Amino acid sequence: MRIGIDSFTLRELNLDPYQCLDYANKRGLEGVQFGGMDGLSSKRDVGELLNLRNYADSLGMYINVSVGVCNPLLQQSEDEARTAMILDIQAFAKAGWHELAGIISRSDERYKHPVPWNTHLSKSADFVRSLRPVLEACGSRINLENHGDSTFDILHVVEAAGSDICGVNLDTGNTLVNAEDPVLAARRVAPYTHLTHIKDGIVFFSANGVSRQGKAPGQGIVDLASIIAILGEYNPDLPLSIEDHKWIFEFPVFEQEWFTPNQNLTPYEFGQFIKLVKAVEQKLASGELPAVDAYEAIPYLAQMEERIASGAECLRGILEKLNLQSGK
């Protein structure tokens, strides 16, 4: 496994793709997961993509890229979205990038969109399936991130679309936003996971339910050692891309309307999640964790270097213990 970073982590630095690679390389990281085509080549110029690929290769670094939203209900025109995505898949393949990231939700559509969430899942699976000819021809796969959705949702789409063309970009910290136990969630999707966002966080009771605060890997409640061990059983070459940011997300886990889209969540797993909340509450009360509001008030840029360095060190220690280092 190789440790890298998602370019979203560096957004406040306003770096171009080459500068992102340089930033990561100077800090001992081994790759960058970028966003969509627009941030890499607004003209879909394969020559520009190849130049970036060659630069990354010269540094011994990986690059992963994204094709964006794979849910036609969140697109103005399904046909236009499909056409654009086909062009992106083909261009990325020519640059040698075949494991592609994607999403089926931008934010909280799972709970607030007027169309039932199950319809989103079926339409997303249909959309990915419609891309099979180009994905097969390019030897590519779209890996869906559990973004605002759960790993149950992503697993449903992957199995409906076909795991040869659709996989998982596991965000370890986003599991918490839907009250999933991160380790159980990882075990659920590990056979299909080809990309990652390695994220940590804490969860605590708040005015309307439970909130998650983002933390650097190793500074939160997510059991990354167990998760990486599980993922390594299926893909020992999996890239581990740190995605770090602040922001507090609240989710009303005690309200009926929250449970309606979460019917796959078992009482046992919800109990494991509440156990995590209790552990965090104890650490906050003892001072082992800094007070939520005071910590959040510190600008991210003031902590970014320390958070990235600490997260990378945590992951290196885990990989060493598991004997999953890249050998670079």
Side-chain angles (χ1 to χ4, degrees), residues 154-177:
I154 299 303
L155 188 58
H156 175 85
V157 175
V158 169
E159 292 178 339
S163 60
D164 57 329
I165 61 165
C166 190
V168 176
N169 178 21
L170 175 62
D171 189 308
T172 56
N174 282 356
T175 57
L176 297 170
V177 177

Side-chain angles (χ1 to χ4, degrees), residues 3 7 40 43 62 66 68 70 106 109 113 149 223 249 276:
I3 302 166
S7 62
L40 301 174
K43 298 179 180 179
Y62 70 80
S66 174
C70 298
R106 290 193 179 96
E109 295 89 358
H113 198 277
D149 25 49
D223 185 353
F249 295 88
L276 295 178

